[in-house]
Amino acid sequence: MKSYKADVLVIGAGAAGLAAAIEVKKAGLKVLIIERDKELGGITLQCIHNGFGLKEFEEELTGPEYAQRFINQVLDLKIPYILDTMVIEITRDKKIYAVNNKEGLIEVSAKAIILAMGCREKTRGAINIPGFRPAGIYTAGQAQRFVNIEGYLPGNTYVILGSGDIGMIMARRLTWEGCTVKAVVEIQPYVSGLLRNQVQCLEDYDIPLITSYTVTKIHGRDRIQGVSIAKVSKDYDRIIGSERFIECDTLLLSVGLIPENELTLQAGATLSNNGGPLVDNNLETTIEGIFACGNVLQVHDLVDMVTSEAKRAGKNVVDYIQNRYDKPIKKEEKIKCVAGENINYLKPNNVNKSDIDSKIIFNFRVTYPDRRVIIQFRDENNKVIFKRKKVYVIPSEMVELEVNLKEIGVETTIKEIRIEIIPRPEVLIEED
Amino acid sequence: MIYDVLIIGGGVTGCCIARTLSKYDIKIALLEKEADIASGTTKANSGVVHAGYASQREYLKRDMCIKGNKMYTQAAEELKFPFQRIGSFVVALEDNQIKDLEEERNNGIQDGILGLELILDKTKIKHMEPNLTDDVVGVLHASSAGIVSPYEMTFALAENAAMNGVNFFRNHKVNRIRHQDYIFELKTQQGVFKARNVINAAGLFASKISKMVGLDYFDIMPRKGEYILFDRNAMHLNKILFPTATKVSKGILVCPTAHGNTFVGPNAQNISDKKDTTTTEAGLKEILEGARKLVPNLPNRASIRNFAGLRAIPNTYDFIIDNTDVYGFINVAGILSPGLTSCYAIAERVTEYLELLGVNMKPNEKYNPNRPKPERFKNFSKEELDQKIRKDPTWGRIICRCETIPEKEILDAIHAPVGAINVDGVKFRCRPGMGRCQGGFCRPRVMEILSRELNIPYQDITKKSEDSYFLVSKTKDELLKKSESGEAE
Amino acid sequence: MKGISEISTVKVIRCIVCPTGCEIKAIKDPNNTITFEGYTCKRGLEYAEQEFYEPKRILTTTIRVENGFIPLIPVRTDKPILKDKLNETLMIIAQTVVDAPIKMGDILIKNVLNSGANIIASRDLGKV
Ligand SMILES: Cc1cc2nc3c(=O)[nH]c(=O)nc-3n(C[C@H](O)[C@H](O)[C@H](O)COP(=O)(O)OP(=O)(O)OC[C@H]3O[C@@H](n4cnc5c(N)ncnc54)[C@H](O)[C@@H]3O)c2cc1C
Ligand SMILES: Cc1cc2nc3c(=O)[nH]c(=O)nc-3n(C[C@H](O)[C@H](O)[C@H](O)COP(=O)(O)OP(=O)(O)OC[C@H]3O[C@@H](n4cnc5c(N)ncnc54)[C@H](O)[C@@H]3O)c2cc1C
Ligand code: SF4
């Protein structure tokens, strides 16, 4: 059995893994990256559209360009990586096993592990569309890979279910390759992706966006021949009689992403309700020395935020190795962070009391869109400890908030922070 | 060439008959109309090896089921398909149902079913199956009931039959049968096949085949059953759970698959189109509601797939296993549930019929009942794995990440006798694409391997049938076509 | 174009500069001069003017590659090009085949359709 040793093992060479590895290497530690694909870069390699890097580089790059900049750094810093290699197990005592077809089984021992495995797309079964099960149903990302990387078109006429950014971007991409997109169908009453994509990917090409509708049936036994769509009520019940047929030879699903955490579970770490691992403010999972960043932790809309999260993870890992690794475990007292009204999920799930006087980055998504709101923190006694105004919140945009808890008057006696989004009181008055 | 026996239909019935007959030194072939075997009812059913107490006592199917159940242990050992006798519960939710269970138990014991037990101790019941509803008042436990992967068993049967000399012809639909001078001529698009004896195991289409030789004495109606399959991590069941049966059906069950996923279903809907395997919104709702009566904490969002199977319901409601008036033509029709359980017993009966027909059933000297056990990455120890990859690097290339399936297992599935020739064929033989991402990651790679191994252009790889293509053209071809036809602007 | 006040609205532009998404109207007065209305900030006005007079887009697509590690190289225009010219540009790109190896930023098509924009590679691409 081949074995490797490193201070830090990074699993996954997407935007997250690359940035984290660079951070660790710059601190002078020994880092190793393992990636199952045949090249470094992750999902951004297939996202050939522009819209990446505005925060990180202050210019608008395509996905591959964004990846290339980090790949170049990895090469310059001579960070070792193994490609075409799948991590298959992280044991509870933090031994990592991976396989490839050249070296066989690989055992890695590392002082710390950074999980950066990204996410996967939800599939049709998960949303239970009735009908046949023919060929011609793809997730948007799968189609993206076929068109942009493998070099094949999965179909000629498309219906896209879900108005997420990936779905809308694929609508334009396919139009540009000479295909016809009949419609983008969205079950919510609003578009779930960015306005910019709605305008530049759909409206530019007169692609109909049909909201409050969903696909109710798949037609075609061998290859899909069309879909039935129907209007849904507020509670997502189908409205009888609203059904209509759209002919197409391909259905793309852009119905969401979920963090990819089989390995994380195996390692014994706990997951939270968003499907990502439960982490503290250092991005450390419930297993000491295992950290997570990028889409494996929470699905991000912007790669720039993945990068900044990954850099944070990298720094914290360095700190862990320099100050905590192999030392007697200090029992950390933690403040629990809980999702309140209109919060779908939040990160971190815990704040270490010893970090109360440092900048803590909170990330969360809301459950439903709202305008003119207040983001509010309460303690376990329902006392409001922090408030901030926000013009709007929408589920498709992750909110990031930087707070120094001590500065806002939080004491170490606090047990819980509940974050909630509530309408601004003045709005209520205005409406009176 | 004149075969001794031609079997029509490559479902579990046809394949089990083929394998059973391969013990004898006779020439056998099997004709299947679809691109792969196990494409009909055999592909989509509950996969329960029933104990046999459920059917009415005058039916042949009860007898075949009880016998068939007992034959599974040996078959699973020889053929190495996934099979576990985990036992079933028929669940009574009301006191007045207990007497039905009592009757089933008593009759079952009389008919030789082993391991039947009525349990009324709720604590004990919940201990045996913690997921069961608190409303349970009693259960009929049948410890001989089991779960099997129906299509994997069918592939195993076909593989072993082929090893022992049976010829398999897929994509061979029997369109007409001529019968003259004790020879049957079966016409397919690919040519004519001749045989002295014909076994009709054509499932839903058995009445059509029977009519081809002028035998018009039964009808087969399709009855649909829909299912929802859940992610493996979502729930773990110990037992097969049936509600107490009504006259119409065994009801909606909650059950583990042989691979540890939980599924719910089927409902029962009479339909007219024998190819209509669509799932419906109402149906899916019905089965979820039904299932929640037994397991209220059914995971809400963890479903990974829904599908439907068609029962072949004969107007007699019983198996039709006949040595018919047309000499040499055996009907094995109307094989409704528990047909899967019964297949070994059915095949034994067919063997007896052939003997009666005077076929010379000399033992096949080379017969080997054992199918080599498919090697699975997941079952290897770390050391074994390392050795395996060193010997054959294809063990080290993981194709399906959800189910951890390396290239080697896919190559084995393709190159086995009666091996996979399309993406679904690979999926049902060794499971890439069966997991929670349902092929999102592995499909292009499976296509690539199929293309390379079978020498088919990548773009021509299909899902199942010829018309189920995945890709239409190369990126840019569409634009180039348009520019040639002057559509540029 | 229902109400009287809208009679002279020639175009409605949804501003995408920020998520507020103001609806900006281009209005023609009797002297045929165009004014804009409905924007909240200067960036919005600039955007609306650009969208009205000369809408441009960055084009991102792929070009076929001979002997590449992958069969296509992702490319983009190095500056926005006229929206009207997108289709024609796509056709030219479709007819192009380039050779590996390629470096990010390499100009694969120069001054495409005299737009002043080049088609450049979005990544490094090695040979097979
Ligand atoms: C289709 C799509 C379109 C997007 N468009 C935009 C956009 O326009 N603008 C923007 O800013 N952001 C966009 N994003 C978001 C952003 O690009 C991603 O969130 C970001 O790239 C994710 O980076 P990551 O490193 O977390 O994950 P990934 O890039 O997915 O990287 C994870 C890596 O881990 C590897 N891996 C996983 N499991 C294993 C294992 N067991 N062993 C070894 N390796 C493993 C994978 O192969 C992969 O390379 C898009 C995202 C997607 C999915
Ligand atoms: C919803 C449901 C649940 C069930 N649950 C269970 C259970 O839990 N336990 C159990 O024991 N049984 C169960 N059954 C029953 C069991 O699935 C069937 O009895 C069994 O699969 C029948 O197999 P078969 O080979 O007879 O039919 P099929 O699998 O339908 O095979 C017939 C084959 O013949 C082929 N064919 C048809 N016409 C032609 C032609 N002209 N030329 C060539 N080939 C042709 C077809 O393509 C098909 O492949 C269930 C059935 C259903 C539908
Ligand atoms: S006009 Fe200004 S405020 Fe309004 S959407 Fe545009 S940028 Fe935002």
Side-chain angles (χ1 to χ4, degrees):
Chain A
M1 200 180 312
K2 180 121 187 181
S3 61
Y4 286 87
K5 244 193 161 103
D7 293 322
V8 182
L9 174 72
V10 176
I11 307 176
L18 295 177
I22 291 167
E23 212 56 36
V24 174
K25 175 77 182 189
K26 280 182 179 164
L29 296 180
K30 222 178 131 192
V31 58
L32 172 69
I33 308 175
I34 297 188
E35 165 60 49
R36 67 174 173 211
D37 217 329
K38 58 183 182 183
E39 34 180 5
L40 299 173
I43 195 81
T44 44
L45 291 181
Q46 68 181 59
C47 305
I48 64 160
H49 55 278
N50 55 328
F52 297 78
L54 278 168
K55 281 206 181 114
E56 180 68 22
F57 297 111
E58 292 180 355
E59 46 179 314
E60 193 167 338
L61 304 173
T62 63
E65 285 172 317
Y66 191 88
Q68 189 74 56
R69 294 200 177 188
F70 286 91
I71 294 169
N72 290 347
Q73 280 189 64
V74 166
L75 300 178
D76 288 348
L77 290 167
K78 302 203 165 52
I79 297 176
Y81 58 85
I82 330 177
L83 296 175
D84 263 326
T85 304
M86 177 97 151
V87 174
I88 53 167
E89 191 181 347
I90 306 174
T91 62
R92 292 197 172 223
D93 53 358
K94 280 196 283 178
K95 278 240 159 21
I96 303 102
Y97 293 96
V99 289
N100 65 28
N101 55 11
K102 291 185 196 72
E103 294 158 291
L105 188 68
I106 297 167
E107 189 188 87
V108 187
S109 22
K111 295 176 184 162
I113 302 171
I114 299 180
L115 306 173
M117 289 95 72
C119 60
R120 70 186 150 79
E121 296 176 279
K122 294 187 184 161
T123 53
R124 173 190 170 213
I127 48 171
N128 275 333
I129 307 172
F132 280 112
R133 287 154 300 285
I137 305 172
Y138 298 88
T139 59
Q142 229 179 324
Q144 191 176 45
R145 189 180 171 91
F146 270 125
V147 177
N148 293 344
I149 299 203
E150 320 253 344
Y152 290 92
L153 293 179
N156 292 320
T157 51
Y158 294 75
V159 167
I160 299 177
L161 176 61
S163 62
D165 288 315
I166 313 171
M168 294 199 284
I169 282 164
M170 276 315 286
R172 177 179 65 185
R173 184 76 198 101
L174 291 163
T175 309
W176 279 352
E177 286 301 335
C179 305
T180 308
V181 178
K182 292 278 193 75
V184 171
V185 180
E186 168 60 58
I187 192 166
Q188 308 280 354
Y190 46 84
V191 182
S192 76
L194 299 173
L195 175 65
R196 169 183 143 129
N197 287 331
Q198 185 187 341
V199 171
Q200 294 202 339
C201 298
L202 306 185
E203 291 171 10
D204 268 5
Y205 306 96
D206 297 322
I207 296 169
L209 170 72
I210 310 178
T211 52
S212 291
Y213 266 77
T214 190
V215 172
T216 52
K217 190 166 178 184
I218 286 166
H219 301 261
R221 192 188 321 275
D222 297 310
R223 172 81 188 196
I224 184 166
Q225 281 163 0
V227 294
S228 295
I229 64 166
K231 198 170 172 62
V232 295
S233 68
K234 266 205 200 108
D235 312 316
Y236 306 118
D237 285 330
R238 183 167 52 106
I239 295 173
I240 313 278
S242 64
E243 215 154 276
R244 69 178 142 121
F245 176 76
I246 307 180
E247 199 181 303
C248 63
D249 66 13
T250 312
L251 174 67
L252 295 194
L253 305 173
S254 176
V255 292
L257 306 165
I258 7 179
E260 174 88 54
N261 275 297
E262 272 59 65
L263 286 175
T264 320
L265 278 174
Q266 250 178 15
T270 313
L271 300 190
S272 80
N273 70 326
N274 76 320
L278 210 108
V279 291
D280 66 13
N281 55 303
N282 294 323
L283 304 173
E284 189 168 358
T285 65
T286 51
I287 306 286
E288 196 210 292
I290 302 187
F291 294 72
C293 57
N295 282 353
V296 80
L297 176 63
Q298 53 181 340
V299 174
H300 294 69
D301 334 306
L302 288 179
V303 73
D304 306 69
M305 283 165 98
V306 169
T307 302
S308 69
E309 187 174 88
K311 285 183 178 169
R312 241 185 329 132
K315 286 205 181 80
N316 295 338
V317 167
V318 171
D319 177 70
Y320 166 78
I321 289 182
Q322 289 170 344
N323 300 319
R324 284 196 287 138
Y325 177 72
D326 235 6
K327 307 229 162 81
I329 299 177
K330 194 168 66 174
K331 187 83 186 114
E332 268 283 1
E333 283 215 54
K334 292 181 192 272
I335 307 168
K336 218 175 143 194
C337 307
V338 195
E341 178 63 30
N342 198 14
I343 301 277
N344 187 327
Y345 80 87
L346 75 98
K347 297 280 161 199
N349 309 84
N350 287 303
V351 172
N352 296 320
K353 288 194 174 169
S354 55
D355 295 326
I356 196 163
D357 192 16
S358 51
K359 273 190 257 163
I360 309 275
I361 292 180
F362 289 93
N363 288 125
F364 55 83
R365 274 177 203 274
V366 298
T367 311
Y368 50 87
D370 206 351
R371 280 185 171 267
R372 314 198 68 195
V373 293
I374 289 180
I375 304 170
Q376 182 166 284
F377 288 22
R378 289 182 200 250
D379 67 8
E380 68 274 18
N381 302 317
N382 267 335
K383 200 181 104 198
V384 176
I385 48 179
F386 175 74
K387 273 187 186 188
R388 180 171 293 174
K389 284 189 196 168
K390 193 152 173 37
V391 182
Y392 71 95
V393 284
I394 46 174
S396 58
E397 251 177 72
M398 189 167 85
V399 183
E400 186 162 302
L401 206 65
E402 206 178 286
V403 184
N404 180 315
L405 291 176
K406 185 135 186 230
E407 279 172 15
I408 62 168
V410 170
E411 305 280 342
T412 46
T413 49
I414 192 173
K415 289 205 183 74
E416 180 182 300
I417 294 176
R418 174 177 300 271
I419 304 185
E420 56 193 16
I421 306 278
I422 53 162
R424 273 190 225 164
E426 67 258 32
V427 175
L428 291 179
I429 294 162
E430 270 170 21
E431 275 169 8
D432 268 351
Chain B
M1 155 125 181
I2 299 176
Y3 286 99
D4 293 306
V5 179
L6 272 175
I7 301 165
I8 307 174
V12 67
T13 309
C15 291
C16 187
I17 292 170
R19 191 258 182 169
T20 306
L21 293 181
S22 72
K23 287 177 194 160
Y24 305 98
D25 191 14
I26 50 180
K27 281 197 244 80
I28 312 163
L30 182 147
L31 304 176
E32 166 57 51
K33 74 172 158 68
E34 299 295 329
D36 207 346
I37 54 169
S39 293
T41 304
T42 297
K43 187 165 154 186
N45 57 60
S46 307
V48 174
V49 176
H50 292 284
Y53 51 77
S55 309
Q56 289 170 42
R57 295 179 87 182
E58 61 275 21
Y59 282 153
L60 173 62
K61 57 185 179 181
R62 180 183 178 97
D63 193 29
M64 293 276 117
C65 180
I66 296 171
K67 275 206 192 97
N69 176 302
K70 292 178 181 156
M71 296 167 85
Y72 258 76
T73 308
Q74 191 190 343
E77 249 163 51
E78 289 172 350
L79 296 167
K80 282 97 180 169
F81 54 80
F83 168 63
Q84 297 122 36
R85 275 193 206 276
I86 58 169
S88 66
F89 278 179
V90 182
V91 180
L93 298 177
E94 280 154 40
D95 291 328
N96 62 9
Q97 292 170 331
I98 297 288
K99 64 175 191 323
D100 295 346
L101 300 191
E102 234 163 25
E103 194 188 323
E104 280 192 343
R105 177 197 58 184
N106 295 343
N107 290 341
I109 290 173
Q110 265 182 27
D111 292 343
I113 302 175
L114 303 175
L116 282 180
E117 182 193 8
L118 190 64
I119 311 177
L120 299 173
D121 175 352
K122 205 161 149 174
T123 330
K124 185 173 171 193
I125 296 172
K126 292 279 286 188
H127 180 74
M128 291 170 84
E129 181 47 75
N131 291 301
L132 198 56
T133 170
D134 287 338
D135 297 340
V136 57
V137 294
V139 300
L140 176 60
H141 179 215
S143 62
S144 67
I147 47 177
V148 64
S149 164
Y151 45 84
E152 277 173 86
M153 177 172 95
T154 305
F155 293 136
L157 285 164
E159 202 180 307
N160 187 242
M163 273 171 52
N164 290 316
V166 177
N167 295 332
F168 282 79
F169 298 94
R170 291 172 285 182
N171 264 322
H172 278 64
K173 180 178 178 185
V174 175
N175 291 320
R176 272 172 53 203
I177 302 178
R178 225 170 71 165
H179 183 214
Q180 216 171 20
D181 305 332
Y182 300 101
I183 300 287
F184 294 90
E185 287 184 16
L186 279 58
K187 296 222 159 80
T188 73
Q189 224 141 41
Q190 285 77 4
V192 177
F193 290 75
K194 292 186 188 166
R196 293 188 187 86
N197 302 281
V198 170
I199 296 164
N200 170 16
L204 286 157
F205 300 93
S207 52
K208 198 168 146 192
I209 299 285
S210 181
K211 281 173 198 153
M212 289 180 192
V213 293
L215 291 166
D216 185 1
Y217 67 104
F218 61 90
D219 270 323
I220 295 200
M221 291 305 296
R223 184 182 288 167
K224 194 195 288 185
E226 293 165 79
Y227 292 95
I228 299 173
L229 184 71
F230 294 96
D231 189 308
R232 196 175 335 179
N233 294 336
M235 166 170 274
H236 176 79
L237 287 177
N238 298 328
K239 295 282 171 193
I240 305 157
L241 304 176
F242 296 99
T244 302
T246 61
K247 291 250 148 51
V248 199
S249 91
K250 292 197 193 84
I252 287 161
L253 56 149
V254 183
C255 181
T257 69
H259 292 283
N261 300 72
T262 297
F263 72 84
V264 300
N267 56 356
Q269 203 190 350
N270 290 325
I271 53 172
S272 51
D273 178 359
K274 290 184 178 176
K275 291 178 178 170
D276 174 13
T277 52
T278 57
T279 51
T280 62
E281 209 173 312
L284 296 174
K285 210 163 143 189
E286 176 191 348
I287 55 179
L288 267 183
E289 274 166 16
R292 288 227 162 82
K293 287 188 195 135
L294 297 183
V295 177
N297 64 338
L298 212 58
N300 235 337
R301 294 203 295 183
S303 75
I304 55 174
R305 195 172 175 78
N306 61 62
F307 58 92
L310 301 181
R311 305 168 180 91
I313 308 285
N315 51 348
T316 57
Y317 289 98
D318 198 5
F319 294 167
I320 300 164
I321 309 175
D322 289 342
N323 227 342
T324 66
D325 295 346
V326 175
Y327 194 86
F329 188 88
I330 301 174
N331 268 325
V332 186
I335 308 300
L336 68 176
S337 187
L340 179 64
T341 313
S342 310
C343 65
Y344 297 100
I346 294 173
E348 206 174 68
R349 174 154 300 198
V350 170
T351 313
E352 289 161 18
Y353 285 174
L354 287 170
E355 269 168 0
L356 288 176
L357 286 168
V359 179
N360 182 4
M361 305 293 265
K362 209 169 68 190
N364 173 358
E365 306 271 297
K366 289 190 225 121
Y367 175 72
N368 177 359
N370 294 307
R371 167 191 181 231
K373 189 177 164 79
E375 291 187 295
R376 298 285 180 237
F377 184 96
K378 274 189 181 168
N379 300 337
F380 291 143
S381 71
K382 302 252 150 54
E383 291 68 31
E384 280 171 330
L385 192 58
D386 196 44
Q387 301 255 310
K388 286 280 178 196
I389 303 174
R390 273 163 209 282
K391 270 205 218 112
D392 184 345
T394 56
W395 277 113
R397 187 171 169 234
I398 305 295
I399 303 297
C400 168
R401 61 181 177 191
C402 302
E403 303 275 325
T404 326
I405 297 169
E407 182 169 12
K408 177 68 165 90
E409 287 179 34
I410 294 170
L411 293 174
D412 287 350
I414 296 172
H415 296 303
V418 206
I421 50 176
N422 52 35
V423 170
D424 273 5
V426 171
K427 171 172 159 180
F428 285 99
R429 280 175 180 79
C430 65
R431 304 182 58 73
M434 282 281 190
R436 57 191 71 77
C437 92
Q438 292 283 302
F441 174 76
C442 62
R443 196 195 283 153
R445 294 159 205 236
V446 170
M447 288 167 67
E448 195 185 286
I449 298 172
L450 276 166
S451 162
R452 186 186 71 211
E453 295 299 313
L454 301 177
N455 224 341
I456 308 172
Y458 188 70
Q459 213 178 298
D460 296 344
I461 301 292
T462 59
K463 178 171 156 62
K464 40 189 181 182
S465 58
E466 228 172 279
D467 296 327
S468 60
Y469 56 92
F470 283 113
L471 304 167
V472 295
S473 61
K474 287 199 161 165
T475 310
K476 308 297 168 198
D477 284 357
E478 246 358 82
L479 288 175
L480 292 172
K481 235 178 9 202
K482 282 191 182 169
S483 86
E484 268 164 35
S485 65
E487 255 183 71
E489 272 72 27
Chain C
M1 303 189 194
K2 290 164 251 155
I4 300 210
S5 64
E6 279 172 349
I7 268 185
S8 52
T9 301
V10 271
K11 195 170 181 181
V12 180
I13 294 161
R14 191 111 67 100
C15 179
I16 59 165
V17 178
C18 89
T20 310
C22 298
E23 278 202 355
I24 306 176
K25 288 178 187 140
I27 293 171
K28 207 193 255 180
D29 70 10
N31 305 327
N32 272 356
T33 38
I34 301 282
T35 50
F36 295 91
E37 144 177 320
Y39 56 91
T40 313
C41 69
K42 198 171 132 244
R43 289 192 309 164
L45 175 61
E46 281 165 12
Y47 172 78
E49 285 174 346
Q50 178 73 47
E51 263 311 272
F52 185 79
Y53 293 110
E54 209 178 36
K56 284 187 171 179
R57 300 286 183 264
I58 294 267
L59 178 63
T60 56
T61 181
T62 53
I63 291 184
R64 286 177 289 164
V65 183
E66 288 284 346
N67 355 305
F69 180 67
I70 49 172
L72 299 167
I73 174 109
V75 298
R76 67 174 171 100
T77 54
D78 59 2
K79 54 176 80 122
I81 58 169
L82 287 176
K83 208 175 130 188
D84 292 348
K85 294 281 178 205
L86 287 175
N87 274 342
E88 226 178 307
T89 313
L90 280 162
M91 284 300 175
I92 289 175
I93 289 174
Q95 285 156 4
T96 309
V97 181
V98 295
D99 269 320
I102 300 164
K103 281 272 176 210
M104 173 165 71
D106 281 359
I107 296 178
L108 302 180
I109 304 175
K110 230 183 165 147
N111 187 16
V112 66
L113 284 174
N114 276 322
S115 60
N118 302 311
I119 306 292
I120 59 169
S122 267
R123 56 167 286 174
D124 293 358
L125 183 59
K127 278 195 181 195
V128 249

